[in-house]
Amino acid sequence: MNEPIQPEIAEKIKQLEKKFKNSGQDLGSYLDGLLHDRYLTYWDYIHLDTLLSLQIPRTHFPDEEIFITYHQITELYFKLIIHELKQIIDDKLQTAQFFTTKLERVNRYFRVLINSFDVMIKGMDRDQFLKYRMSLLPASGFQSVQYRLIEIYATPLVNLVNIKNRSQFSEQDKLEDIFEHLYWKSGATDKETGEKTLTLKQFEYRYTPRMMRIAHQVKHSTIFHKYLELPEKEQNNVHLIEALRTFDTNVNINWLLMHMGAAFRYLNKEKGEVLATGGTNWKKFLPPSFQRIMFFPDLWSEEEKENWGQQWVAHQFNTVK
C-alpha cells in the first residue's frame, strides 16, 4: 500500500511546478532527471582528484611540493578576495553594513594568508630551496595577476604609481599612461639600463590587456570610489573605516613584511644577496616604507603616512646574520 504524500512535500512539488511553469520548463522532465541522477559525492563536488593532480614539481627535491602547493593555496584565497571585492563594486544599496561585512571577509582571508606564511619562512629547507629555485627561472610570485587585480579593484591606478612619480599624475590622466608607471614595474627593471627583466616582459605580454580592461571597468568604481560615494553617515561608520584601514594594512604592510621575512631567510647572505627568481630587487621592492602604497590615503593621518611600513626597519629579519 502506497503511503500518502506528506503535505509539506506536496506543497514543495506545487512550488516547483510553479517555478518551472513560469520559466517555460516542464517539471516532469526535471523529475525524470532527478530520478536517474547519481548521488553527489564530496570528491566529485570539489574535483578532488583533479585538484591533487595539479602539484607537479620540476625537480626531485621534496620541499618543492610545499612551495608549489602553498602558492596554489594563496591563489585560491586571492580568488575569494576578488570575489568579495567585486560584490562591493557591484553593490547598489550603499550601506556601511554590507560594505563592512564583505571587507571583514577579505581581511579574514588575508589574515589566514599572513598567519600561514610561516610555512614559507620556516617550513622549507633552505639548501633545497636555493637549488630547486633555479629550475623555476624566470617564473616568480611577482607574476601573480590576481594580486595585481586586487590592487586595481581596490584603488585608483594613480595611487599605485611609483612614489617618485606619483605627484606627476592624477585620475584625469589616461589609464594607459598611469599604468606604465605602476610601482611594481620598477621592481623588475634594471636601474642602470632601464631594461625590463624577462619576468616582467612575460607578465606584461600575458596580462596587460586583462589588467587594462578591468582598470577601465572600475575607473570610477574601485573600492575607494565606492566608499566615497556612500552617504556621509555611512562613510563615518567606525567599523567600516576600521575594516578599510585593516585591508590597507594587511595588503600593503603585513603581507609585504611576511615576504621580506622569507626573502631574508632564503636569499640573504653575508656578502651581498641572492637574486630572486624573477630577477627582482627584493630589498628595494618589498619594503612597504619604500613604496608607500596606500589604497585609501584619505583615511590616514600625515604622521601615519610618514611612518608607513616602518615596522620592517626594526623587524627581526632585517638584520644580516
Side-chain angles (χ1 to χ4, degrees):
M1 184 176 179
N2 294 331
E3 295 183 3
I5 298 178
Q6 296 295 320
E8 59 270 20
I9 300 298
E11 179 59 30
K12 289 180 180 179
I13 292 175
K14 288 182 180 179
Q15 293 175 7
L16 282 173
E17 189 172 29
K18 181 179 180 181
K19 171 185 175 181
F20 290 116
K21 183 178 181 181
N22 290 338
S23 60
Q25 304 295 317
D26 176 41
L27 173 60
S29 298
Y30 278 89
L31 290 178
D32 282 341
L34 184 61
L35 180 64
H36 300 296
D37 194 18
R38 293 185 302 170
Y39 289 114
L40 183 65
T41 63
Y42 169 77
W43 51 90
D44 284 334
Y45 180 64
I46 68 167
H47 297 278
L48 181 61
D49 292 338
T50 300
L51 182 64
L52 298 181
S53 72
L54 298 177
Q55 295 73 50
I56 308 174
R58 301 292 295 267
T59 71
H60 65 277
F61 295 105
D63 282 4
E64 189 189 348
E65 187 151 342
I66 300 172
F67 187 79
I68 189 172
T69 301
Y70 186 82
H71 279 81
Q72 289 177 340
I73 291 170
T74 298
E75 291 295 338
L76 289 174
Y77 271 108
F78 285 168
K79 180 176 182 178
L80 291 175
I81 289 165
I82 291 173
H83 177 67
E84 301 299 336
L85 295 180
K86 289 168 71 175
Q87 289 183 66
I88 297 174
I89 290 171
D90 293 339
D91 177 53
K92 301 294 189 294
L93 298 177
Q94 288 194 304
T95 66
Q97 181 178 1
F98 180 85
F99 212 123
T100 304
T101 298
K102 297 303 178 183
L103 281 174
E104 286 176 345
R105 291 184 182 183
V106 169
N107 289 331
R108 186 177 299 114
Y109 296 141
F110 262 111
R111 186 168 66 247
V112 170
L113 286 172
I114 291 165
N115 291 341
S116 68
F117 207 81
D118 196 46
V119 171
M120 291 290 291
I121 297 177
K122 298 180 180 179
M124 296 184 297
D125 181 86
R126 186 176 186 272
D127 290 338
Q128 286 189 37
F129 172 77
L130 291 177
K131 291 175 181 178
Y132 69 67
R133 65 187 289 274
M134 303 312 295
S135 298
L136 311 180
L137 300 173
S140 169
F142 175 93
Q143 295 174 319
S144 171
V145 70
Q146 288 200 112
Y147 187 77
R148 301 304 166 205
L149 292 180
I150 289 171
E151 296 177 320
I152 291 172
Y153 281 122
T155 194
L157 278 190
V158 69
N159 289 339
L160 303 175
V161 170
N162 189 302
I163 186 65
K164 296 179 180 179
N165 306 112
R166 198 172 301 162
S167 62
Q168 302 172 18
F169 294 92
S170 72
E171 284 197 63
Q172 282 65 51
D173 290 310
K174 291 180 59 177
L175 293 183
E176 287 74 13
D177 294 337
I178 299 174
F179 186 80
E180 287 304 309
H181 293 84
L182 297 189
Y183 77 96
W184 46 264
K185 294 196 176 194
S186 62
T189 302
D190 189 296
K191 296 296 183 183
E192 295 182 1
T193 66
E195 179 71 15
K196 296 179 179 180
T197 64
L198 178 57
T199 297
L200 178 55
K201 291 177 180 177
Q202 287 179 327
F203 183 67
E204 288 183 322
Y205 181 80
R206 177 69 173 84
Y207 288 118
T208 292
R210 180 180 176 187
M211 289 188 287
M212 289 307 307
R213 174 175 55 81
I214 293 175
H216 278 285
Q217 286 178 350
V218 300
K219 183 176 182 180
H220 301 295
S221 59
T222 66
I223 301 299
F224 191 27
H225 287 104
K226 296 293 289 189
Y227 168 70
L228 295 178
E229 289 174 0
L230 290 173
E232 184 176 354
K233 180 181 178 181
E234 303 296 296
Q235 284 188 39
N236 293 329
N237 183 287
V238 293
H239 300 294
L240 174 55
I241 293 174
E242 181 61 27
L244 287 164
R245 285 166 56 93
T246 299
F247 177 37
D248 217 346
T249 303
N250 279 339
V251 180
N252 295 313
I253 296 180
N254 297 334
W255 184 239
L256 298 181
L257 288 179
M258 299 311 294
H259 282 72
M260 286 291 294
F264 265 89
R265 171 171 169 75
Y266 296 111
L267 303 180
N268 210 50
K269 60 181 182 180
E270 291 184 3
K271 296 181 180 180
E273 64 194 51
V274 181
L275 290 176
T277 52
T280 56
N281 189 338
W282 57 272
K283 278 192 174 182
K284 294 182 178 180
F285 172 66
L286 286 176
S289 61
F290 290 4
Q291 302 296 343
R292 294 195 186 184
I293 299 298
M294 301 168 206
F295 292 158
F296 318 112
D298 293 5
L299 298 182
W300 301 97
S301 68
E302 291 304 316
E303 181 179 0
E304 289 172 323
K305 293 178 183 178
E306 185 66 27
N307 295 324
W308 189 258
Q310 290 292 339
Q311 298 95 318
W312 89 279
V313 177
H315 202 282
Q316 61 181 350
F317 53 68
N318 192 30
T319 304
V320 178
K321 296 181 180 180

